[in-house]
Amino acid sequence: MTTMTDTSNAARFREFKMPDVGEGLTEAEILKWYVQPGDTVTDGQVVCEVETAKAAVELPIPFDGVVHELRFPEGTTVDVGQVIIAVDVAPGSGDAAPAPAPVAEVEPEPEAPKGRQPVLVGYGVSEGSTKRRARKGSAASVPAAAAAIQVEMNGHGAVVPESRPLAKPPVRKLAKDLGIDLATVVPTGEGGIITREDVHAAAKPVPAQAPVPVATAPVAAEAAPEAPAPAVVATVGARETRIPVKGVRKAIAQAMVGSAFTAPHVTEFVTVDVTRTMKLVAELKEDKDMAGVRVNPLLIIAKALLVAIKRNPEVNAAWDEANQEIVQKHYVNLGIAAATPRGLIVPNIKDAHDKTLPQLAAALGELVSTARDGKTSPAAMAGGTVTITNVGVFGVDTGTPILNPGESAILAVGAIKLQPWVHKGKVKPRQVTTLALSFDHRLVDGELGSKVLADVAAILEQPKRLITWA
């Protein structure tokens, strides 16, 4: 029966759900909470940082109030649409009653029908399990002995559960893949949820000298210590280490597999003398018009590729499988592959073809700085047309780059090295690099790909072509 108190509580407490932060993403990992229960928040204030499959994003809350409850701890992967925080929007109206929580507070009547109840978004437990969680301040406390049993079990041993263990579908799949019975796993997640870390902890081998205790009764989740197992699973003397695949790394893997087995790749190579380009870079560093921006070989290479695309516009296209059409693009969103602590990302410079050299330099600097800080937005990585990957910074001569999904070509730039080179009929030390161009053979045939690569090489050999060809 709905009471007046229930209605007022529902109006008093507002819930903020995990939003879709870009391009239909279905889940995100909570990296860091910036607020705690009891903190005052205002409309637009950033409350947490989450990592999607594409980038780390800060989430602002859309209303004022006092934080009542954080539904998930840091490190938890949450589906889009799940409530992540509850806020008291009328904190001065009396004692705060519990906000709508993931777990029911009232024990069911014995004669209540059996079935699944909507306890968490995406989860359900039988009615008999609604008394399993003890809320703050409730009389249902866990004996010290039971807490000690749970700490010693550390994910091993048999537990007689009151109901089906609480776990998200990806966690259930992980447990199945590792051969772990979720009924034997001690949950450390809020609300008694079994996390990935709990499953990995249960997968660790039990030391032979340590006896495995057996619980004779269910143990409440709140008795577990608030120190989840590390994401990287390794044991002393282990020959293998298991690292969960998630976030940006998971997205990279899926994108590369999809690209490699969808677009027929062709890669061509050319070695070129870039001595004159290096001299131009040195001169531009002293040019007052380039003051305040970073000038490096990548800047000239990017400009050379843009000029080559202008001379061969058919290379700047995309394959529309659904409509069986080739989409030629009259703009260039130039992607720059960037290695970050979270993995490889490819943000792009929008309308790079319209930018002057100083504007292109400024855009490159901002792109790299934002990527290193982990602040690249999903929008900055969407809509790319061609990409440059600079493997030369790692001392590598060249490579066979895989296309960024949806793009037609990617240019790999190798290390620039002093090498013996025939120049004006004599062998001289010259600065040389190797370029590799991979392209989608559905869109780009050998002749077109060769022209683009040859144009880039010609510009780097004679940078004055940036003027005569542009």
Side-chain angles (χ1 to χ4, degrees):
M1 178 178 179
T2 302
T3 65
M4 185 65 69
T5 301
D6 295 334
T7 303
S8 62
N9 282 343
R12 176 175 174 179
F13 293 96
R14 294 189 63 180
E15 298 174 329
F16 180 55
K17 298 179 180 180
M18 177 69 73
D20 178 358
V21 293
E23 297 194 347
L25 300 174
T26 60
E27 64 181 14
E29 178 184 354
I30 298 175
L31 295 179
K32 183 176 182 181
W33 283 108
Y34 295 123
V35 296
Q36 295 296 324
D39 291 350
T40 300
V41 294
T42 57
D43 186 357
Q45 178 180 339
V46 173
V47 295
C48 67
E49 182 182 22
V50 301
E51 183 184 44
T52 69
K54 294 192 173 183
V57 181
E58 292 182 333
L59 298 184
I61 199 160
F63 40 80
D64 301 335
V66 175
V67 177
H68 181 69
E69 184 179 16
L70 305 181
R71 293 291 174 84
F72 296 96
E74 294 176 355
T76 304
T77 299
V78 181
D79 289 336
V80 169
Q82 284 193 269
V83 176
I84 60 174
I85 183 173
V87 174
D88 185 351
V89 295
S93 60
D95 294 336
V103 179
E105 300 298 327
V106 181
E107 295 186 13
E109 297 294 331
E111 65 274 12
K114 296 180 180 179
R116 307 284 290 174
Q117 299 298 319
V119 182
L120 276 169
V121 178
Y123 300 99
V125 297
S126 63
E127 290 193 355
S129 66
T130 54
K131 61 184 179 181
R132 68 188 299 275
R133 181 184 181 196
R135 298 291 295 174
K136 296 179 182 178
S138 69
S141 61
V142 180
I149 290 175
Q150 180 164 341
V151 172
E152 290 182 17
M153 284 176 61
N154 192 29
H156 302 289
V159 178
V160 181
E162 292 181 356
S163 64
R164 185 180 182 223
L166 291 176
K168 295 177 61 177
V171 177
R172 294 186 184 278
K173 183 177 184 302
L174 174 63
K176 182 179 179 181
D177 293 343
L178 297 179
I180 301 299
D181 182 358
L182 287 177
T184 68
V185 179
V186 177
T188 62
E190 186 170 344
I193 300 173
I194 296 174
T195 66
R196 294 174 183 268
E197 289 73 21
D198 297 334
V199 175
H200 283 300
K204 292 182 180 180
V206 183
Q209 67 276 15
V212 181
V214 178
T216 58
V219 183
E222 280 71 12
E226 296 184 4
V232 179
V233 178
T235 57
V236 178
R239 291 164 60 87
E240 297 178 351
T241 299
R242 291 184 174 270
I243 303 173
V245 179
K246 57 184 178 179
V248 174
R249 174 56 58 189
K250 181 178 180 180
I252 293 170
Q254 293 173 341
M256 292 300 96
V257 169
S259 177
F261 292 97
T262 300
H265 284 57
V266 172
T267 305
E268 295 185 338
F269 308 88
V270 63
T271 302
V272 58
D273 177 2
V274 295
T275 304
R276 290 187 178 92
T277 289
M278 298 306 291
K279 289 180 179 178
L280 176 60
V281 169
E283 292 171 2
L284 288 175
K285 288 181 178 180
E286 304 299 325
D287 193 317
K288 63 179 182 180
D289 291 333
M290 302 296 289
V293 296
R294 185 178 180 184
V295 178
N296 55 22
L298 180 61
L299 172 63
I300 308 302
I301 294 167
K303 193 65 176 177
L305 179 57
L306 292 171
V307 171
I309 292 172
K310 183 177 181 181
R311 285 167 53 85
N312 305 275
E314 298 86 356
V315 76
N316 190 39
W319 183 270
D320 186 340
E321 181 66 29
N323 296 315
Q324 287 295 292
E325 295 176 340
I326 293 175
V327 183
Q328 291 191 349
K329 301 182 178 180
H330 308 299
Y331 59 91
V332 181
N333 290 344
L334 182 62
I336 304 295
T340 73
R342 292 190 177 95
L344 177 71
I345 62 173
V346 188
N348 60 76
I349 300 172
K350 309 298 183 186
D351 295 323
H353 63 289
D354 281 339
K355 297 188 182 298
T356 64
L357 196 63
Q359 291 171 340
L360 187 61
L364 273 171
E366 182 180 357
L367 179 149
V368 172
S369 176
T370 303
R372 286 177 178 172
D373 293 340
K375 302 300 182 182
T376 302
S377 67
M381 292 183 282
T385 59
V386 295
T387 290
I388 296 176
T389 177
N390 185 10
V391 297
V393 296
F394 306 108
V396 175
D397 290 334
T398 189
T400 54
I402 297 177
L403 293 168
N404 203 31
E407 298 184 8
S408 59
I410 178 171
L411 178 69
V413 182
I416 298 174
K417 299 179 180 180
L418 200 62
Q419 296 183 15
W421 192 264
V422 178
H423 178 66
K424 295 181 180 180
K426 297 181 180 180
V427 177
K428 296 181 179 180
R430 305 286 287 180
Q431 291 176 304
V432 177
T433 190
T434 299
L435 307 175
L437 182 71
S438 290
F439 49 85
D440 185 342
H441 214 355
R442 297 174 300 179
L443 299 162
V444 182
D445 59 23
E447 180 185 9
L448 178 58
S450 299
K451 285 181 177 180
V452 172
L453 185 58
D455 280 355
V456 174
I459 293 171
L460 297 180
E461 187 175 19
Q462 293 282 357
K464 68 182 180 181
R465 291 191 172 104
L466 287 173
I467 300 173
T468 58
W469 286 0

